[in-house]
Amino acid sequence: MKKHDQDFMKRQNRLTVFQIIKNEQPISRAAIAKQTGMSPTTVSRIVSELTEEGYVHETEEQASAGRGRKSSLIRLLDTAVISIGVELDRHQANIGFIDVQGNVLCSGNFPRSSGDTPEATVARIADIIEELILECDIDRRRIVGIGVGLPGIIDVEAGIVNFSVQLGWKNVQLAERLKELTGLQAVVDNELKVKALAEQLKGSAYGSNRTVLLGFGNGVGSALILEGEIYRGVTNSAGEIGHTTVDPEGMMCDCGKAGCLQTYINIPSLLSEASKIKPVRTIEELFAERRAGTRWACYLIDRALAYMAITINNVVSMYNPDSVILSGEILDKFPEVYEEITNLCYTQYIWEPLQDSFTIVRSKLHEHGVIIGSGLVAQDRYFQLN
Amino acid sequence: MKKHDQDFMKRQNRLTVFQIIKNEQPISRAAIAKQTGMSPTTVSRIVSELTEEGYVHETEEQASAGRGRKSSLIRLLDTAVISIGVELDRHQANIGFIDVQGNVLCSGNFPRSSGDTPEATVARIADIIEELILECDIDRRRIVGIGVGLPGIIDVEAGIVNFSVQLGWKNVQLAERLKELTGLQAVVDNELKVKALAEQLKGSAYGSNRTVLLGFGNGVGSALILEGEIYRGVTNSAGEIGHTTVDPEGMMCDCGKAGCLQTYINIPSLLSEASKIKPVRTIEELFAERRAGTRWACYLIDRALAYMAITINNVVSMYNPDSVILSGEILDKFPEVYEEITNLCYTQYIWEPLQDSFTIVRSKLHEHGVIIGSGLVAQDRYFQLN
DNA sequence: CTATTTAATTTCACCAGTAGATTAATTAGA
DNA sequence: TCTAATTAATCTACTGGTGAAATTAAATAG
């Protein structure tokens, strides 16, 4: 992408103005100019451009700052842009329509099983989208694209799912097929990465500019947002901490190495460990055992929580973020562990000089994080091109 | 800094053109235009500007691409810009004059002891700089700034050494004092971070765009270069992996936590562990014991090497770089460990899907890495402002 | 020796952004 | 109530970087 001409500059400025309106609406032109350092003239021009194109509008409201002419306030025309966010995992797909603010306008879902082919899944997604459009009376012209978030390694540029253990997919040209079936632009990205973006844009890390999100659930992963951009690394696998070694003399992992982080904290590992003593089917049962005070359950879960705290320390030491978001099935289902983990962090595991450099927060968007995030990624893509 | 006006755009373009000339000289205007996507007009204008300002010049040489007019080639006037790189550690300071290419024109050093005050050190640095200028007949007008690299947490923006265990300093306004004493612009940065930049610009990671450098010596640390920029994190402590937890039931670290990485692999820890069995003064003695086959020495060092390999895996899992550089006293003094570590990586510790995503290389600049790096950082700063 | 190809420069138009003047709207205080 | 001060938004003239196309320059193939 060119980065050196006036066109790029203009786009950049349009985008900043748009973002500010999005985040701080209602806001006056003057305030935008002050904030960005642009001249009022420029802001005015951009705003009228955006108005003409139907993205924003001047409201009736007026704010007075004491003396002087009242500023007329600009707001998003929030139905101006709608995107579709899709969350794919082993057992189901969730689909939602997302507005510019990241609100879920309406949503649907369908169950799937791990054997389902990509083709079948894509077809089903397209169907549901059609249904939802009719059902919720969505204006088709407003839809700017589809974003899909799923667990796995994804080549975002190419829109290809390189590899997803959870879905059992390999080298699937997901974006292309979706585009063919729906006629909409499609983006595919890793679920944790889009979730992190969503949390930073409108969730619990709002205002942060170095955010790390940790996901503790069926898998273990992390995602890093730098300056509002998802950090992906060279092969799109940045943040794949599941196979970091935390105990070289520890348990064997499926991957053939010993002591991988995920063998201590992901749900399947916890269940299979537990099952050596007593058959436990679900993570709920395991936590129930713990609540009942069963010794081995306490041991397993306490160890997992300790490793989570250690992971926080290690991630913070490397990325030095200002905000760490805890998310994933374990935190969604058992919110009480959040306190336990943060306590462990501050009392035992975080290197003292770093203790005040960041805050630990819980994911705020919960089950909707991925569809909001992937929807917003789709919008980002749209705005970068328009 | 403004990022939205023509001025910024121009600077940006000047910089890109300059960088390309720096890295690929001799090169024709046409080639630069093709590479950057800028119009020939723009490139021509920038080149003549740079020529007037005395940064580059047109050479006699001409390259023919078969048919057509031969292109006149542009080269750096490599004496045009000189900066000073300073490496500070506990026992000494190394000072060198660095040209645009990162060549060391001449260098000097002085010993210091850990008790030396910042003031004394700065004064001594200024003295040596004066001596070197006279001795090597350096053109003062060409000197664009001083860069200092040292171990510790540094507030680069403010030029303040927040904290350096090695030097025993705290909140030292180093950049400001240096500027006062020498009349030159000064930048201070972490030694590993500048070394990493140097390795990427002209060392073993040339051409990489996601580089991680690991330093194994008196301390343990890492540095990350993203898109040619040093990644610093929010409080300038990104990459401080010394206190990541690698064994929650492991040895106590000075920091009060258990099982910090550095307790297994940094030189002081190795020596103090060894001394429990036999008084060992230097790392050379310890390695000699190992070469002699002494059991405890082999154990200690093998364990250290294993943890280094583990560190590589963990760092790669998170940052997903295309290049990992191993550096530091241990690798400089005992180059043979490089092979051992890489072997451990590929046979045991690297998660298989990541094995082909990066290369492990040795630092190429060795003892000069830090002065070159800090000198180049000073130049970067200069070019960003001019 | 001419036609063709490539390089570099020059001319000119375009347009994003700025500064400063102008118009509009509002309030504090005489 | 009226005026001066204040803030917002727009209008106008200008600056300056970039790109397109024409031009000039230099080389080679045949």
Side-chain angles (χ1 to χ4, degrees), chain A residues 321-382:
Chain A
D322 52 12
S323 172
V324 174
I325 305 167
L326 303 185
S327 77
E329 210 175 319
I330 293 181
L331 278 113
D332 287 340
K333 287 187 172 159
F334 314 102
E336 67 273 18
V337 301
Y338 167 73
E339 288 241 340
E340 291 190 53
I341 297 172
T342 49
N343 277 340
L344 284 170
C345 280
Y346 290 120
T347 56
Q348 279 189 61
Y349 292 114
I350 302 286
W351 183 40
E352 198 268 325
L354 290 175
Q355 296 216 345
D356 299 324
S357 68
F358 69 101
T359 52
I360 305 176
V361 294
R362 278 190 61 204
S363 159
K364 198 168 156 188
L365 307 171
H366 304 297
E367 345 79 90
H368 279 142
V370 177
I371 58 176
I372 294 173
S374 47
L376 290 176
V377 166
Q379 287 177 29
D380 263 18
R381 174 69 64 101
Y382 169 77

Side-chain angles (χ1 to χ4, degrees), chain B residues 6 10 13 39 41-42 45 66-69:
Chain B
Q6 280 179 311
K10 185 187 177 184
N13 286 347
S39 70
T41 322
T42 306
R45 191 186 41 72
R67 195 178 279 214
R69 175 176 174 179

Side-chain angles (χ1 to χ4, degrees), chain A residues 6 9-10 13 39 41-42 45 62 66-70:
Chain A
Q6 282 180 313
M9 179 170 66
K10 186 187 176 181
N13 286 346
S39 69
T41 320
T42 305
R45 191 185 43 72
Q62 290 190 320
R67 196 176 279 213
R69 175 177 171 178
K70 280 179 186 163

Side-chain angles (χ1 to χ4, degrees), chain B residues 42-341:
Chain B
T42 306
V43 174
S44 237
R45 191 186 41 72
I46 294 177
V47 168
S48 42
E49 242 184 71
L50 291 172
T51 309
E52 253 175 48
E53 292 163 21
Y55 295 121
V56 305
H57 66 138
E58 202 166 285
T59 57
E60 311 302 302
E61 330 153 56
Q62 291 189 321
S64 98
R67 195 178 279 214
R69 175 176 174 179
K70 281 179 185 162
S71 44
S72 47
L73 300 176
I74 313 295
R75 267 187 184 285
L76 285 184
L77 246 157
D78 45 29
T79 50
V81 166
I82 295 173
S83 64
I84 302 169
V86 180
E87 173 179 21
L88 263 186
D89 64 31
R90 190 193 292 262
H91 303 298
Q92 62 176 343
N94 293 310
I95 297 162
F97 283 80
I98 311 294
D99 72 11
V100 187
Q101 297 289 355
N103 298 310
V104 180
L105 302 176
C106 68
S107 65
N109 70 312
F110 64 89
R112 58 183 300 281
S113 60
S114 42
D116 287 3
T117 64
E119 193 53 42
T121 306
V122 173
R124 198 84 180 77
I125 291 173
D127 287 347
I128 299 269
I129 288 174
E130 274 309 307
E131 283 173 29
L132 286 172
I133 288 176
L134 298 174
E135 198 175 300
C136 310
D137 199 29
I138 302 280
D139 183 348
R140 277 176 205 277
R141 291 163 306 178
R142 304 287 187 205
I143 306 175
V144 298
I146 308 179
V148 184
L150 51 86
I153 309 284
I154 288 130
D155 183 337
V156 179
E157 279 306 302
I160 295 173
V161 179
N162 287 335
F163 190 63
S164 171
V165 186
Q166 303 275 337
L167 301 181
W169 289 1
K170 227 175 180 176
N171 296 321
V172 175
Q173 302 211 337
L174 193 55
E176 204 177 295
R177 278 307 283 147
L178 261 176
K179 193 177 165 187
E180 283 167 12
L181 279 180
T182 61
L184 293 163
Q185 286 293 335
V187 205
V188 190
D189 209 331
N190 174 278
E191 55 165 4
L192 285 184
K193 293 193 171 76
V194 300
K195 204 195 235 182
L197 189 68
E199 291 285 349
Q200 203 211 43
L201 289 175
K202 63 163 282 155
S204 51
Y206 179 74
S208 149
N209 47 8
R210 301 281 144 96
T211 305
V212 175
L213 178 133
L214 293 170
F216 300 125
N218 277 306
V220 190
S222 70
L224 175 64
I225 310 288
L226 300 181
E227 324 280 3
E229 300 255 323
I230 295 171
Y231 174 69
R232 299 202 163 82
V234 280
T235 58
N236 293 292
S237 44
E240 292 289 333
I241 55 174
H243 298 279
T244 52
T245 306
V246 294
D247 181 358
E249 270 131 38
M251 294 185 284
M252 285 306 287
C253 174
D254 303 335
C255 76
K257 297 195 299 145
C260 290
L261 176 61
Q262 65 168 34
T263 56
Y264 298 95
I265 63 180
N266 75 4
I267 295 176
S269 302
L270 287 172
L271 294 181
S272 88
E273 272 296 295
S275 298
K276 287 178 186 166
I277 295 153
K278 176 179 171 182
V280 177
R281 284 265 177 72
T282 64
I283 188 74
E284 282 85 354
E285 288 177 42
L286 180 59
F287 269 78
E289 289 283 355
R290 184 204 197 203
R291 230 168 286 133
T294 317
R295 199 144 169 205
W296 53 266
C298 290
Y299 171 75
L300 273 183
I301 292 175
D302 287 348
R303 188 177 67 179
L305 298 184
Y307 273 118
M308 289 177 192
I310 288 170
T311 302
I312 294 174
N313 176 60
N314 294 357
V315 164
V316 167
S317 298
M318 295 184 66
Y319 290 140
N320 186 212
D322 51 12
S323 170
V324 175
I325 306 167
L326 304 185
S327 77
E329 210 174 320
I330 293 181
L331 277 113
D332 287 340
K333 287 186 172 160
F334 315 102
E336 68 273 16
V337 301
Y338 167 73
E339 290 243 339
E340 291 189 55
I341 297 171

Side-chain angles (χ1 to χ4, degrees), chain A residues 180-201:
Chain A
E180 283 167 12
L181 279 180
T182 61
L184 292 164
Q185 286 294 333
V187 205
V188 190
D189 210 331
N190 173 279
E191 55 165 4
L192 284 184
K193 293 191 171 75
V194 300
K195 203 195 235 181
L197 190 68
E199 291 286 350
Q200 202 211 43
L201 289 174

Side-chain angles (χ1 to χ4, degrees), chain A residues 120-346:
Chain A
T121 307
V122 173
R124 199 82 180 79
I125 291 173
D127 287 347
I128 299 269
I129 289 174
E130 274 309 307
E131 283 173 29
L132 286 171
I133 288 177
L134 297 173
E135 198 175 300
C136 311
D137 198 28
I138 302 280
D139 183 348
R140 278 176 204 275
R141 291 162 307 176
R142 304 287 187 205
I143 305 176
V144 299
I146 308 179
V148 185
L150 51 85
I153 309 284
I154 288 131
D155 183 337
V156 179
E157 280 305 303
I160 295 173
V161 179
N162 288 336
F163 189 64
S164 171
V165 185
Q166 304 274 336
L167 301 182
W169 288 2
K170 227 175 180 175
N171 296 321
V172 175
Q173 303 212 337
L174 192 55
E176 204 177 295
R177 278 307 284 147
L178 261 176
K179 193 177 165 186
E180 283 167 12
L181 279 180
T182 61
L184 292 164
Q185 286 294 333
V187 205
V188 190
D189 210 331
N190 173 279
E191 55 165 4
L192 284 184
K193 293 191 171 75
V194 300
K195 203 195 235 181
L197 190 68
E199 291 286 350
Q200 202 211 43
L201 289 174
K202 63 162 281 156
S204 52
Y206 180 75
S208 149
N209 47 9
R210 302 280 142 97
T211 305
V212 175
L213 177 134
L214 294 170
F216 301 125
N218 277 305
V220 190
S222 71
L224 175 64
I225 309 287
L226 300 180
E227 324 280 1
E229 300 257 321
I230 295 172
Y231 173 70
R232 299 201 163 83
V234 280
T235 58
N236 293 292
S237 45
E240 290 291 330
I241 55 175
H243 298 278
T244 52
T245 305
V246 295
D247 181 358
E249 273 132 38
M251 293 184 284
M252 285 305 289
C253 175
D254 303 334
C255 75
K257 298 194 301 146
C260 290
L261 176 61
Q262 66 169 34
T263 55
Y264 298 96
I265 62 181
N266 75 3
I267 295 176
S269 301
L270 287 172
L271 295 182
S272 88
E273 272 295 295
S275 298
K276 288 178 186 167
I277 294 152
K278 176 179 171 182
V280 176
R281 285 264 176 74
T282 65
I283 188 73
E284 282 86 353
E285 289 177 39
L286 180 58
F287 269 78
E289 289 282 355
R290 184 204 198 201
R291 228 168 286 133
T294 318
R295 198 146 168 205
W296 52 266
C298 291
Y299 171 74
L300 273 182
I301 292 176
D302 287 349
R303 188 177 66 179
L305 298 184
Y307 273 119
M308 290 177 191
I310 288 171
T311 302
I312 294 174
N313 177 59
N314 293 356
V315 163
V316 167
S317 298
M318 295 185 66
Y319 290 140
N320 187 212
D322 52 12
S323 172
V324 174
I325 305 167
L326 303 185
S327 77
E329 210 175 319
I330 293 181
L331 278 113
D332 287 340
K333 287 187 172 159
F334 314 102
E336 67 273 18
V337 301
Y338 167 73
E339 288 241 340
E340 291 190 53
I341 297 172
T342 49
N343 277 340
L344 284 170
C345 280
Y346 290 120

